[in-house]
Amino acid sequence: MSLVTINSLGGTPPYIVSVCDIFQYSCQTVTTIYDYIPPSVSFNIPSPYSSAPKVLIKIVDSTGCVFTQEYECLTPTPTPSITPSVTPTISLTPSNTPTPSITPSFTPTPSITPSITPTQTVTPSHTPTNTVTPTVTNTPTPSITSESPYAYLFIEPYSGSSSIGSYMNSLGSSFYGFTNTSQPSSSASTFDLDMNKYVNFSGWTNGQFPIIIKQNVVFSANGLDSYGNPKILWNFPTTKVPENTVGCKAWYTWIIPSLYTNNKYQVEIDLGIVNPNVFTSVKMEPTIYTNTFTYTGSTIARTTYRVYTTYPSNTFELDNTYDLYFRGSKVDI
């Protein structure tokens, strides 16, 4: 493992020391320092980050001040320790401040596509008897369930925050999309309406937003998935989002059929950056996943779903300049 040495540090102890990926999407606390520095303090880079080309050392003092410094060129042998001549850069910019915001002055978007209602066609049939008796046969159009359900990954880019916000507002929803710093209602009935409107947004299917990624769920925990990771019962296997699939920062949200998690909750999803076999387990937001919605449109299969993301925590607000990997890791009641 790589050894990091801190020779000097400002602020007020105690200090909580963490190692993060360079975007701070995931962090792991490694130690707590109770005295002033100097004297110097050393610690090892934890294994989930030991193969990364660059990590971020993050230190929070007792007053809440955040000190960060990048650490490069990690190797299995000890590398030159971090010996800043001045205190590490203080980062006081809040990490959970998406830039776009939605106000009530949205202009309705003309591209709202109402859900398709099955129609009836009347087909006359004739009975081959001496007396011709016209018989009316009602033949309803088949319902639009062209596929079995999957676990679906919705990627909502900041470049489209105004479009989805305007669309949701024009339908009377108070949920404007995660890129507009909002989340679905906690009311069960309103949640159902919010999510039906959200999934019906035309941007998911017309190329405005990244294509919805579909993934099967493991119903028999036997063997390894295609990336060599163990299959976990009632969880979706390793799913890749190739780098630059999204040209900007975006929110990543999994929408999974309730039945596919054995009617439990997908309480944790693993997130990997660059390496498909190195993950950080991320807890999902219970105020969102405890509600269900029964989808009635045509964007995805019609069934009952739960919604999994980290909002208001920004852990699933991701930059796609690297390959991203997701993997269901824990379902629970």
Side-chain angles (χ1 to χ4, degrees), residues 108-116 154-157 160 162-168 170-171 194-212 295 297-300:
T109 303
S111 60
I112 301 171
T113 305
S115 58
I116 300 172
F154 283 68
I155 304 173
E156 182 191 323
S162 178
S163 296
I164 195 166
S166 297
Y167 160 78
M168 294 294 288
S170 72
L171 296 181
D194 282 345
M195 290 309 304
N196 266 277
K197 294 169 184 175
Y198 183 78
V199 175
N200 279 340
F201 176 55
S202 60
W204 304 117
T205 55
N206 68 7
Q208 182 181 359
F209 281 10
I211 189 171
I212 300 168
Y295 185 59
S298 58
T299 304
I300 58 178

Side-chain angles (χ1 to χ4, degrees), residues 122-299:
V122 178
T123 305
S125 65
H126 298 279
T127 306
T129 62
N130 292 332
T131 303
V132 178
T133 305
T135 304
V136 178
T137 304
N138 291 326
T139 310
T141 303
S143 60
I144 308 170
T145 52
S146 58
E147 64 178 25
S148 297
Y150 292 86
Y152 299 95
L153 177 59
F154 283 68
I155 304 173
E156 182 191 323
Y158 273 96
S159 60
S161 60
S162 178
S163 296
I164 195 166
S166 297
Y167 160 78
M168 294 294 288
N169 183 72
S170 72
L171 296 181
S173 176
S174 296
F175 171 47
Y176 307 128
F178 297 106
T179 57
N180 290 301
T181 63
S182 66
Q183 72 179 61
S185 172
S186 59
S187 162
S189 58
T190 307
F191 182 92
D192 187 281
L193 294 172
D194 282 345
M195 290 309 304
N196 266 277
K197 294 169 184 175
Y198 183 78
V199 175
N200 279 340
F201 176 55
S202 60
W204 304 117
T205 55
N206 68 7
Q208 182 181 359
F209 281 10
I211 189 171
I212 300 168
I213 295 176
K214 300 187 295 186
Q215 181 60 277
N216 290 304
V217 173
V218 175
F219 299 124
S220 176
N222 184 17
L224 305 177
D225 64 25
S226 58
Y227 290 92
N229 297 311
K231 294 180 180 179
I232 305 174
L233 186 63
W234 305 113
N235 288 264
F236 63 88
T238 308
T239 305
K240 178 180 180 180
V241 181
E243 64 176 291
N244 298 321
T245 297
V246 191
C248 64
K249 186 172 287 188
W251 271 97
Y252 291 73
T253 301
W254 283 91
I255 296 180
I256 305 174
S258 299
L259 186 63
Y260 282 16
T261 57
N262 198 25
N263 291 312
K264 298 180 180 180
Y265 303 136
Q266 181 78 65
V267 295
E268 293 181 11
I269 292 177
D270 286 349
L271 171 63
I273 299 176
V274 179
N275 191 328
N277 305 113
V278 177
F279 290 99
T280 298
S281 187
V282 180
K283 293 186 182 299
M284 299 296 99
E285 175 53 48
T287 61
I288 296 177
Y289 68 61
T290 50
N291 279 321
T292 63
F293 75 101
T294 301
Y295 185 59
T296 58
S298 58
T299 304

Side-chain angles (χ1 to χ4, degrees), residues 41-77:
V41 173
S42 299
F43 59 89
N44 288 317
I45 297 294
S47 58
Y49 303 92
S50 59
S51 62
K54 180 189 295 186
V55 297
L56 191 76
I57 308 302
K58 177 179 178 180
I59 302 172
V60 182
D61 78 353
S62 61
T63 68
C65 287
V66 180
F67 303 80
T68 60
Q69 182 165 319
E70 291 185 0
Y71 184 67
E72 302 183 43
C73 303
L74 303 182
T75 64
T77 57

